[in-house]
């Protein structure tokens, strides 16, 4: 399946609820996924870029702690494996101190690549001195 279109405004639950036509189908999809998929010791999170030519009218709701969008995305995805002592692996778009702390609180560990220009990376890790190949540095 490449495209699904839900354009019956009569099926919308509330005024302004633009995702209502697909929400029932999406919830059923998520429930089937959670019931039929078993996550092993490691869970990998990655993004997929999809071209889109329309207006995005979706807005973040229920974010009282002001968490970043990547952190919210990961927290949504890991709900079925909370407190299972698994390891989540992600790339530099998801990696942040904020996410690592949230996952630690939920009984999970995290391994990911970090961009050195992110604001929460300490200056010690932003060294511009060349290092020998296969060397390591412990802070």
């Amino acid at each position: 399946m490449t495209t699904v279109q839900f354009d019956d405004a009569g099926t919308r639950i509330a005024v302004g609820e633009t995702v209502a036509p697909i929400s029932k189908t999406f919830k059923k999809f998520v429930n089937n996924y959670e019931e039929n998929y078993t996550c092993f010791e490691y869970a990998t999170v990655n993004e997929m870029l999809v071209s889109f030519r329309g207006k995005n009218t979706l807005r973040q709701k229920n974010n009282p702690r002001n968490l970043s969008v990547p952190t919210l995305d990961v927290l949504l995805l890991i709900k079925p494996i909370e407190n299972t002592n698994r390891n989540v692996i992600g790339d530099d778009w998801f990696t942040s101190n904020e996410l690592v702390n949230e996952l630690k609180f939920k009984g999970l560990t995290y391994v990911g690549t970090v961009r050195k220009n992110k604001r929460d990376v300490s200056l010690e890790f932003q060294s511009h001195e060349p290092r020998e190949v296969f060397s390591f540095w412990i802070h």
Side-chain angles (χ1 to χ4, degrees), residues 48-54:
M48 183 172 95
L49 302 176
V50 179
S51 62
F52 177 71
R53 295 177 189 234

Side-chain angles (χ1 to χ4, degrees), residues 8 10-11 24 32 35 45 55 63 86 91 108 117 119 123 129 131:
D8 182 5
T11 62
K24 186 177 180 182
N32 284 338
E35 289 174 8
V45 180
K55 265 187 174 175
N63 189 3
R86 286 188 169 94
D91 67 4
L108 299 167
N117 63 348
R119 65 178 169 218
L123 292 174
E129 299 173 16
R131 293 197 190 123

Side-chain angles (χ1 to χ4, degrees), residues 44-95:
T44 304
V45 180
N46 204 344
E47 78 274 4
M48 183 172 95
L49 302 176
V50 179
S51 62
F52 177 71
R53 295 177 189 234
K55 265 187 174 175
N56 182 4
T57 59
L58 301 174
R59 298 288 176 249
Q60 288 286 317
K61 295 180 182 177
N62 302 328
N63 189 3
R65 293 176 38 217
N66 225 10
L67 298 172
S68 67
V69 172
T71 298
L72 289 172
D73 289 346
V74 174
L75 293 178
L76 180 66
L77 291 169
I78 59 96
K79 278 189 183 213
I81 62 169
E82 285 181 7
N83 299 310
T84 59
N85 296 320
R86 286 188 169 94
N87 186 40
V88 178
I89 302 168
D91 67 4
D92 60 353
W93 195 76
F94 295 101
T95 304

Side-chain angles (χ1 to χ4, degrees), residues 25-40 42-45 76-81:
T25 303
F26 184 72
K27 285 177 184 175
K28 193 180 274 191
F29 172 81
V30 170
N31 287 338
N32 284 338
Y33 175 80
E34 289 177 355
E35 289 174 8
N36 297 298
Y37 177 77
T38 302
C39 183
F40 292 98
Y42 301 100
T44 304
V45 180
L76 180 66
L77 291 169
I78 59 96
K79 278 189 183 213
I81 62 169

